[in-house]
């Protein structure tokens, strides 16, 4: 999956998982600040992911894409959110597991790509920040 830079400076990557779902990863530039980017991704136009194994696989690919993006742009700061209510209702098992998964993956990979990660938990979402070391 190659990054495709749009005219507004934002970058979009597209890849397909084994189920042939289209997954898009966006790096949205924040023009006001130093080169900072907000990362978001969706699968077939939706941000839901079906299960833990699926989420791990998709997120591992997202990490690889972030790594590629970092090589190209070397931003000081990147951020993204894990929305709690979107991914799991309060009655669903594994509530908040998305957030734990992200934290686990970032713990494992952020340092490898030269970033430290920070986590701020809110009521409806958890914000993650990747800051260049």
């Amino acid at each position: 999956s190659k990054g495709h830079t749009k005219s507004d400076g934002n970058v979009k990557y597209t890849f397909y998982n084994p189920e042939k779902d289209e997954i898009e990863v966006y790096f949205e530039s924040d023009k006001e600040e130093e080169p900072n980017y907000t990362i978001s991704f969706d699968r077939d136009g939706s941000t839901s992911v079906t299960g833990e194994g699926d989420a791990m696989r998709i997120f591992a690919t997202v990490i690889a894409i972030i790594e590629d993006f970092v090589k190209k742009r070397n931003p000081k700061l990147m951020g993204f959110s894990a929305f709690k209510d979107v991914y799991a209702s309060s009655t669903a098992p594994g509530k908040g597991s998305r957030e734990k998964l992200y934290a686990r993956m970032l713990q494992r990979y952020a340092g490898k790509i030269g970033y430290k990660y920070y986590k701020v938990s809110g009521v409806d979402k958890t914000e993650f920040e990747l800051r260049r070391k």
Side-chain angles (χ1 to χ4, degrees):
S1 145
K2 275 289 153 258
H4 173 69
T5 306
K6 307 217 290 282
S7 55
D8 52 11
N10 297 340
V11 178
K12 179 174 115 175
Y13 288 77
T14 306
F15 68 97
Y16 294 87
N17 68 1
E19 292 77 45
K20 304 279 183 287
D21 294 330
E22 181 183 64
I23 292 141
E24 294 179 322
V25 184
Y26 304 95
F27 292 85
E28 213 169 317
S29 163
D30 179 358
K31 296 276 189 310
E32 316 305 302
E33 306 288 323
E34 51 191 312
N36 288 350
Y37 290 88
T38 302
I39 304 167
S40 62
F41 54 97
D42 67 46
R43 176 170 115 173
D44 278 349
S46 141
T47 51
S48 68
V49 173
T50 53
E52 174 96 352
D54 183 37
M56 292 227 40
R57 214 173 42 231
I58 289 173
F59 202 63
T61 308
V62 171
I63 297 256
I65 285 172
I66 292 172
E67 197 171 0
D68 184 71
F69 180 78
V70 162
K71 280 184 199 135
K72 290 190 174 92
R73 297 283 174 98
N74 198 20
K76 287 196 175 121
L77 186 66
M78 295 177 289
F80 64 93
S81 305
F83 289 93
K84 296 174 186 176
D85 54 347
V86 175
Y87 296 121
S89 72
S90 52
T91 55
K95 181 179 190 290
S97 64
R98 174 62 46 92
E99 178 192 347
K100 289 188 190 83
L101 168 71
Y102 285 178
R104 212 163 63 222
M105 298 290 275
L106 288 173
Q107 220 166 354
R108 199 181 302 168
Y109 296 111
K112 289 182 181 159
I113 59 172
Y115 287 77
K116 266 179 79 92
Y117 90 92
Y118 301 87
K119 188 178 106 163
V120 182
S121 289
V123 178
D124 59 340
K125 65 179 186 229
T126 299
E127 302 272 0
F128 290 95
E129 217 174 67
L130 287 165
R131 225 173 243 284
R132 200 164 59 227
K133 286 181 180 174

